Amino acid sequence: MATCKNCDHKWNWKTSVKKLLTLRNVMKCPHCGEEQYMSAKSQKRLSIYLFTPLILWLILSVLNFPLQNVMTVTVLGFVVSIMMMPFSYELSDEEEPLW
């Protein structure tokens, strides 16, 4: 889980998911109110979570699986990805460039 670099407050799963779904890089710590940024390493890891269901969709489509099965696996993949994202979430005091 994400931990504030200022006050060492560990964010809970619900707060982490809520912050992830805002699609903003800057977030305020719910405990101390200081601005925190998603680390570059964390952003790269989270992008893998998002692309994995799309790659599964592509592979299953190429292998001619029934559309209903492809859609079910893709939706479940996105749900599992979103549920797992907060566990690999890291914060930083300053905004880091991706490259």
Side-chain angles (χ1 to χ4, degrees):
M1 286 301 164
T3 304
C4 177
K5 296 294 180 184
N6 186 48
C7 67
D8 287 331
H9 175 73
K10 194 171 193 174
W11 294 13
N12 63 22
W13 183 86
K14 185 179 178 180
T15 303
S16 297
V17 169
K18 190 186 297 185
K19 298 291 183 182
L20 277 171
L21 295 177
T22 61
L23 301 176
R24 292 178 49 208
N25 194 28
V26 62
M27 294 153 269
K28 290 192 185 236
C29 174
H31 188 256
C32 68
E34 286 293 316
E35 288 187 347
Q36 299 289 301
Y37 299 90
M38 191 182 316
S39 70
K41 181 180 174 183
S42 181
Q43 288 179 23
K44 291 173 187 173
R45 237 183 296 159
L46 293 177
S47 67
I48 292 171
Y49 280 117
L50 289 176
F51 283 112
T52 301
L54 296 174
I55 292 169
L56 279 173
W57 172 79
L58 180 64
I59 292 170
L60 294 176
S61 295
V62 168
L63 295 174
N64 291 324
F65 275 82
L67 182 61
Q68 184 178 5
N69 293 352
V70 172
M71 295 304 292
T72 302
V73 169
T74 304
V75 169
L76 286 174
F78 275 117
V79 169
V80 168
S81 292
I82 290 172
M83 291 178 72
M84 295 299 295
M85 280 180 178
F87 295 107
S88 62
Y89 196 63
E90 294 176 6
L91 297 174
S92 173
D93 286 340
E94 54 193 43
E95 193 167 7
E96 301 172 356
L98 280 175
W99 311 108

